[in-house]
PDB file of all heavy atoms in Angstrom:
ATOM      1  N   LEU A 303     -82.642 295.739-112.713  1.00  0.00           N
ATOM      2  CA  LEU A 303     -82.245 295.113-111.566  1.00  0.00           C
ATOM      3  C   LEU A 303     -81.088 294.283-111.607  1.00  0.00           C
ATOM      4  O   LEU A 303     -80.732 293.733-112.651  1.00  0.00           O
ATOM      5  CB  LEU A 303     -83.570 294.198-111.207  1.00  0.00           C
ATOM      6  CG  LEU A 303     -84.941 294.928-111.249  1.00  0.00           C
ATOM      7  CD1 LEU A 303     -85.961 293.880-111.378  1.00  0.00           C
ATOM      8  CD2 LEU A 303     -85.091 295.792-110.066  1.00  0.00           C
ATOM      9  N   PRO A 304     -80.443 293.941-110.427  1.00  0.00           N
ATOM     10  CA  PRO A 304     -79.353 293.011-110.362  1.00  0.00           C
ATOM     11  C   PRO A 304     -79.753 291.618-110.897  1.00  0.00           C
ATOM     12  O   PRO A 304     -80.935 291.209-110.838  1.00  0.00           O
ATOM     13  CB  PRO A 304     -78.977 292.883-108.894  1.00  0.00           C
ATOM     14  CG  PRO A 304     -79.573 294.157-108.271  1.00  0.00           C
ATOM     15  CD  PRO A 304     -80.754 294.532-109.011  1.00  0.00           C
ATOM     16  N   SER A 305     -78.786 291.014-111.537  1.00  0.00           N
ATOM     17  CA  SER A 305     -79.068 289.764-112.164  1.00  0.00           C
ATOM     18  C   SER A 305     -79.681 288.728-111.205  1.00  0.00           C
ATOM     19  O   SER A 305     -79.228 288.576-110.018  1.00  0.00           O
ATOM     20  CB  SER A 305     -77.656 289.130-112.720  1.00  0.00           C
ATOM     21  OG  SER A 305     -77.867 287.797-113.227  1.00  0.00           O
ATOM     22  N   GLY A 306     -80.757 288.085-111.612  1.00  0.00           N
ATOM     23  CA  GLY A 306     -81.463 287.052-110.797  1.00  0.00           C
ATOM     24  C   GLY A 306     -82.465 287.636-109.792  1.00  0.00           C
ATOM     25  O   GLY A 306     -83.009 286.788-109.071  1.00  0.00           O
ATOM     26  N   THR A 307     -82.738 288.978-109.752  1.00  0.00           N
ATOM     27  CA  THR A 307     -83.710 289.428-108.813  1.00  0.00           C
ATOM     28  C   THR A 307     -85.041 289.849-109.485  1.00  0.00           C
ATOM     29  O   THR A 307     -85.955 290.182-108.808  1.00  0.00           O
ATOM     30  CB  THR A 307     -83.153 290.796-108.066  1.00  0.00           C
ATOM     31  OG1 THR A 307     -82.835 291.695-109.122  1.00  0.00           O
ATOM     32  CG2 THR A 307     -81.828 290.377-107.408  1.00  0.00           C
ATOM     33  N   GLY A 308     -85.101 289.865-110.783  1.00  0.00           N
ATOM     34  CA  GLY A 308     -86.508 290.047-111.444  1.00  0.00           C
ATOM     35  C   GLY A 308     -87.398 289.003-111.379  1.00  0.00           C
ATOM     36  O   GLY A 308     -86.996 287.936-111.272  1.00  0.00           O
ATOM     37  N   LYS A 309     -88.691 289.380-111.412  1.00  0.00           N
ATOM     38  CA  LYS A 309     -89.750 288.367-111.272  1.00  0.00           C
ATOM     39  C   LYS A 309     -89.731 287.388-112.402  1.00  0.00           C
ATOM     40  O   LYS A 309     -89.965 286.205-112.268  1.00  0.00           O
ATOM     41  CB  LYS A 309     -91.142 289.062-111.278  1.00  0.00           C
ATOM     42  CG  LYS A 309     -91.399 289.814-110.039  1.00  0.00           C
ATOM     43  CD  LYS A 309     -92.744 290.599-110.114  1.00  0.00           C
ATOM     44  CE  LYS A 309     -92.806 291.698-109.106  1.00  0.00           C
ATOM     45  NZ  LYS A 309     -93.362 292.825-109.506  1.00  0.00           N
ATOM     46  N   GLN A 310     -89.327 287.825-113.651  1.00  0.00           N
ATOM     47  CA  GLN A 310     -89.283 287.027-114.784  1.00  0.00           C
ATOM     48  C   GLN A 310     -87.788 286.922-115.229  1.00  0.00           C
ATOM     49  O   GLN A 310     -87.638 286.971-116.575  1.00  0.00           O
ATOM     50  CB  GLN A 310     -90.266 287.502-115.848  1.00  0.00           C
ATOM     51  CG  GLN A 310     -91.687 287.492-115.519  1.00  0.00           C
ATOM     52  CD  GLN A 310     -92.130 286.127-115.275  1.00  0.00           C
ATOM     53  OE1 GLN A 310     -92.477 285.756-114.223  1.00  0.00           O
ATOM     54  NE2 GLN A 310     -92.205 285.341-116.271  1.00  0.00           N
ATOM     55  N   SER A 311     -86.879 286.692-114.381  1.00  0.00           N
ATOM     56  CA  SER A 311     -85.440 286.719-114.744  1.00  0.00           C
ATOM     57  C   SER A 311     -85.058 285.595-115.516  1.00  0.00           C
ATOM     58  O   SER A 311     -85.576 284.385-115.388  1.00  0.00           O
ATOM     59  CB  SER A 311     -84.665 286.683-113.431  1.00  0.00           C
ATOM     60  OG  SER A 311     -83.241 286.469-113.748  1.00  0.00           O
ATOM     61  N   ALA A 312     -84.194 285.658-116.482  1.00  0.00           N
ATOM     62  CA  ALA A 312     -83.684 284.606-117.314  1.00  0.00           C
ATOM     63  C   ALA A 312     -82.083 284.457-117.003  1.00  0.00           C
ATOM     64  O   ALA A 312     -81.473 283.650-117.668  1.00  0.00           O
ATOM     65  CB  ALA A 312     -83.818 284.849-118.774  1.00  0.00           C
ATOM     66  N   SER A 313     -81.745 285.053-115.943  1.00  0.00           N
ATOM     67  CA  SER A 313     -80.314 285.143-115.700  1.00  0.00           C
ATOM     68  C   SER A 313     -79.586 283.772-115.436  1.00  0.00           C
ATOM     69  O   SER A 313     -78.616 283.483-115.855  1.00  0.00           O
ATOM     70  CB  SER A 313     -79.962 285.983-114.552  1.00  0.00           C
ATOM     71  OG  SER A 313     -80.446 285.532-113.336  1.00  0.00           O
ATOM     72  N   GLN A 314     -80.418 282.793-114.872  1.00  0.00           N
ATOM     73  CA  GLN A 314     -79.844 281.451-114.658  1.00  0.00           C
ATOM     74  C   GLN A 314     -79.777 280.646-115.871  1.00  0.00           C
ATOM     75  O   GLN A 314     -79.100 279.626-115.843  1.00  0.00           O
ATOM     76  CB  GLN A 314     -80.796 280.702-113.768  1.00  0.00           C
ATOM     77  CG  GLN A 314     -80.875 281.326-112.244  1.00  0.00           C
ATOM     78  CD  GLN A 314     -79.511 281.582-111.581  1.00  0.00           C
ATOM     79  OE1 GLN A 314     -78.664 280.636-111.540  1.00  0.00           O
ATOM     80  NE2 GLN A 314     -79.306 282.659-111.028  1.00  0.00           N
ATOM     81  N   TRP A 315     -80.433 281.023-116.916  1.00  0.00           N
ATOM     82  CA  TRP A 315     -80.416 280.314-118.223  1.00  0.00           C
ATOM     83  C   TRP A 315     -79.281 280.712-119.096  1.00  0.00           C
ATOM     84  O   TRP A 315     -79.018 279.891-120.076  1.00  0.00           O
ATOM     85  CB  TRP A 315     -81.735 280.487-118.841  1.00  0.00           C
ATOM     86  CG  TRP A 315     -82.912 280.173-118.221  1.00  0.00           C
ATOM     87  CD1 TRP A 315     -83.130 279.655-116.936  1.00  0.00           C
ATOM     88  CD2 TRP A 315     -84.261 280.484-118.611  1.00  0.00           C
ATOM     89  NE1 TRP A 315     -84.378 279.616-116.461  1.00  0.00           N
ATOM     90  CE2 TRP A 315     -85.137 280.062-117.581  1.00  0.00           C
ATOM     91  CE3 TRP A 315     -84.809 280.950-119.776  1.00  0.00           C
ATOM     92  CZ2 TRP A 315     -86.544 280.168-117.667  1.00  0.00           C
ATOM     93  CZ3 TRP A 315     -86.236 281.040-119.890  1.00  0.00           C
ATOM     94  CH2 TRP A 315     -87.016 280.683-118.832  1.00  0.00           C
ATOM     95  N   VAL A 316     -78.875 281.933-118.911  1.00  0.00           N
ATOM     96  CA  VAL A 316     -77.873 282.598-119.980  1.00  0.00           C
ATOM     97  C   VAL A 316     -76.506 282.501-119.478  1.00  0.00           C
ATOM     98  O   VAL A 316     -76.078 282.832-118.458  1.00  0.00           O
ATOM     99  CB  VAL A 316     -78.349 284.034-120.231  1.00  0.00           C
ATOM    100  CG1 VAL A 316     -77.463 284.703-121.252  1.00  0.00           C
ATOM    101  CG2 VAL A 316     -79.835 284.161-120.620  1.00  0.00           C
ATOM    102  N   THR A 317     -75.558 282.149-120.503  1.00  0.00           N
ATOM    103  CA  THR A 317     -74.193 282.233-120.321  1.00  0.00           C
ATOM    104  C   THR A 317     -73.596 282.878-121.457  1.00  0.00           C
ATOM    105  O   THR A 317     -74.264 282.787-122.601  1.00  0.00           O
ATOM    106  CB  THR A 317     -73.481 280.816-120.055  1.00  0.00           C
ATOM    107  OG1 THR A 317     -73.768 280.023-121.295  1.00  0.00           O
ATOM    108  CG2 THR A 317     -73.923 280.066-118.806  1.00  0.00           C
ATOM    109  N   PHE A 318     -72.418 283.615-121.370  1.00  0.00           N
ATOM    110  CA  PHE A 318     -71.890 284.400-122.426  1.00  0.00           C
ATOM    111  C   PHE A 318     -70.410 284.436-122.181  1.00  0.00           C
ATOM    112  O   PHE A 318     -69.829 284.274-120.994  1.00  0.00           O
ATOM    113  CB  PHE A 318     -72.596 285.792-122.501  1.00  0.00           C
ATOM    114  CG  PHE A 318     -72.532 286.520-121.243  1.00  0.00           C
ATOM    115  CD1 PHE A 318     -71.470 287.378-120.845  1.00  0.00           C
ATOM    116  CD2 PHE A 318     -73.561 286.362-120.282  1.00  0.00           C
ATOM    117  CE1 PHE A 318     -71.532 288.080-119.672  1.00  0.00           C
ATOM    118  CE2 PHE A 318     -73.539 287.138-119.141  1.00  0.00           C
ATOM    119  CZ  PHE A 318     -72.469 287.928-118.740  1.00  0.00           C
ATOM    120  N   SER A 319     -69.768 284.685-123.359  1.00  0.00           N
ATOM    121  CA  SER A 319     -68.188 284.793-123.309  1.00  0.00           C
ATOM    122  C   SER A 319     -67.793 285.606-124.484  1.00  0.00           C
ATOM    123  O   SER A 319     -68.415 285.481-125.595  1.00  0.00           O
ATOM    124  CB  SER A 319     -67.686 283.391-123.357  1.00  0.00           C
ATOM    125  OG  SER A 319     -66.317 283.368-123.285  1.00  0.00           O
ATOM    126  N   PRO A 320     -66.803 286.420-124.293  1.00  0.00           N
ATOM    127  CA  PRO A 320     -66.036 286.779-123.130  1.00  0.00           C
ATOM    128  C   PRO A 320     -66.883 287.670-122.160  1.00  0.00           C
ATOM    129  O   PRO A 320     -67.742 288.375-122.670  1.00  0.00           O
ATOM    130  CB  PRO A 320     -64.772 287.402-123.628  1.00  0.00           C
ATOM    131  CG  PRO A 320     -65.173 288.077-124.829  1.00  0.00           C
ATOM    132  CD  PRO A 320     -66.262 287.172-125.499  1.00  0.00           C
ATOM    133  N   GLN A 321     -66.368 287.728-120.930  1.00  0.00           N
ATOM    134  CA  GLN A 321     -66.971 288.725-119.956  1.00  0.00           C
ATOM    135  C   GLN A 321     -66.213 289.997-119.875  1.00  0.00           C
ATOM    136  O   GLN A 321     -66.757 291.006-119.367  1.00  0.00           O
ATOM    137  CB  GLN A 321     -67.196 287.974-118.656  1.00  0.00           C
ATOM    138  CG  GLN A 321     -68.154 286.802-118.693  1.00  0.00           C
ATOM    139  CD  GLN A 321     -68.349 286.141-117.439  1.00  0.00           C
ATOM    140  OE1 GLN A 321     -67.719 286.481-116.425  1.00  0.00           O
ATOM    141  NE2 GLN A 321     -69.246 285.233-117.394  1.00  0.00           N
ATOM    142  N   GLU A 322     -64.936 289.986-120.332  1.00  0.00           N
ATOM    143  CA  GLU A 322     -64.190 291.094-120.494  1.00  0.00           C
ATOM    144  C   GLU A 322     -63.342 291.010-121.753  1.00  0.00           C
ATOM    145  O   GLU A 322     -62.887 289.940-121.912  1.00  0.00           O
ATOM    146  CB  GLU A 322     -63.300 291.275-119.276  1.00  0.00           C
ATOM    147  CG  GLU A 322     -64.041 291.555-117.917  1.00  0.00           C
ATOM    148  CD  GLU A 322     -63.117 291.909-116.716  1.00  0.00           C
ATOM    149  OE1 GLU A 322     -61.873 291.877-116.982  1.00  0.00           O
ATOM    150  OE2 GLU A 322     -63.712 292.102-115.715  1.00  0.00           O
ATOM    151  N   PHE A 323     -63.060 292.068-122.306  1.00  0.00           N
ATOM    152  CA  PHE A 323     -62.179 292.101-123.529  1.00  0.00           C
ATOM    153  C   PHE A 323     -61.595 293.443-123.751  1.00  0.00           C
ATOM    154  O   PHE A 323     -62.125 294.515-123.201  1.00  0.00           O
ATOM    155  CB  PHE A 323     -62.860 291.491-124.803  1.00  0.00           C
ATOM    156  CG  PHE A 323     -64.145 292.381-125.168  1.00  0.00           C
ATOM    157  CD1 PHE A 323     -64.025 293.235-126.099  1.00  0.00           C
ATOM    158  CD2 PHE A 323     -65.383 291.871-124.626  1.00  0.00           C
ATOM    159  CE1 PHE A 323     -65.189 294.028-126.436  1.00  0.00           C
ATOM    160  CE2 PHE A 323     -66.516 292.579-125.065  1.00  0.00           C
ATOM    161  CZ  PHE A 323     -66.429 293.667-125.919  1.00  0.00           C
ATOM    162  N   ARG A 324     -60.627 293.551-124.641  1.00  0.00           N
ATOM    163  CA  ARG A 324     -60.138 295.002-125.046  1.00  0.00           C
ATOM    164  C   ARG A 324     -60.619 295.157-126.480  1.00  0.00           C
ATOM    165  O   ARG A 324     -60.371 294.268-127.342  1.00  0.00           O
ATOM    166  CB  ARG A 324     -58.637 294.783-125.049  1.00  0.00           C
ATOM    167  CG  ARG A 324     -58.040 296.232-125.447  1.00  0.00           C
ATOM    168  CD  ARG A 324     -56.809 296.512-124.767  1.00  0.00           C
ATOM    169  NE  ARG A 324     -56.254 297.788-124.973  1.00  0.00           N
ATOM    170  CZ  ARG A 324     -56.550 298.939-124.434  1.00  0.00           C
ATOM    171  NH1 ARG A 324     -57.358 298.832-123.349  1.00  0.00           N
ATOM    172  NH2 ARG A 324     -56.128 300.140-124.750  1.00  0.00           N
ATOM    173  N   MET A 325     -61.334 296.219-126.626  1.00  0.00           N
ATOM    174  CA  MET A 325     -62.013 296.601-127.901  1.00  0.00           C
ATOM    175  C   MET A 325     -60.822 297.409-128.657  1.00  0.00           C
ATOM    176  O   MET A 325     -60.412 298.580-128.222  1.00  0.00           O
ATOM    177  CB  MET A 325     -63.165 297.514-127.696  1.00  0.00           C
ATOM    178  CG  MET A 325     -63.811 297.919-128.962  1.00  0.00           C
ATOM    179  SD  MET A 325     -64.583 296.501-129.841  1.00  0.00           S
ATOM    180  CE  MET A 325     -66.094 296.374-129.284  1.00  0.00           C
ATOM    181  N   ASP A 326     -60.474 296.889-129.764  1.00  0.00           N
ATOM    182  CA  ASP A 326     -59.428 297.606-130.617  1.00  0.00           C
ATOM    183  C   ASP A 326     -60.081 298.855-131.340  1.00  0.00           C
ATOM    184  O   ASP A 326     -61.392 298.913-131.524  1.00  0.00           O
ATOM    185  CB  ASP A 326     -58.986 296.748-131.793  1.00  0.00           C
ATOM    186  CG  ASP A 326     -58.155 295.607-131.225  1.00  0.00           C
ATOM    187  OD1 ASP A 326     -57.436 295.801-130.108  1.00  0.00           O
ATOM    188  OD2 ASP A 326     -58.092 294.518-131.771  1.00  0.00           O
TER     189      ASP A 326
END
Side-chain angles (χ1 to χ4, degrees):
L303 306 164
S305 179
T307 61
K309 294 177 196 136
Q310 296 298 110
S311 177
S313 66
Q314 300 300 316
W315 308 354
V316 179
T317 58
F318 52 90
S319 179
Q321 295 181 355
E322 291 184 2
F323 59 90
R324 181 145 184 91
M325 181 64 89
D326 293 331

